Amino acid sequence: MAIATQIAVFPWFGLETGLTEHLTIGLVFVGVSLVRGYLLRRLFERFRVANRSGDHGGRAKPAQSRR
């Protein structure tokens, strides 16, 4: 879908590229999207773990010994 959009829109801005360039641009955007998704998933997982453990930076508080 993105490549078809590029083929349609680029000429409006005076950008003439071949199919190889369109495919390369599409692959770059896919790569950026995958990395962004991975990093956001890690960030929100860290928030989830921090909230679950009582906001101790993702680490659980050591258990107190009972006497």
Side-chain angles (χ1 to χ4, degrees):
M1 181 64 130
I3 294 171
T5 304
Q6 288 171 205
I7 291 170
V9 172
F10 278 19
W12 297 349
F13 294 96
L15 301 171
E16 298 297 330
T17 58
L19 183 59
T20 304
E21 289 85 5
H22 284 296
L23 293 173
T24 303
I25 292 168
L27 286 175
V28 168
F29 281 117
V30 166
V32 168
S33 178
L34 290 173
V35 170
R36 182 192 63 206
Y38 174 80
L39 293 175
L40 285 173
R41 195 166 47 251
R42 298 283 68 86
L43 177 69
F44 284 105
E45 179 66 16
R46 181 170 287 190
F47 287 150
R48 187 182 68 80
V49 169
N51 286 336
R52 181 186 296 173
S53 65
D55 201 29
H56 295 98
R59 295 176 295 280
K61 200 176 199 182
Q64 294 179 351
S65 60
R66 295 182 182 187
R67 292 185 174 190

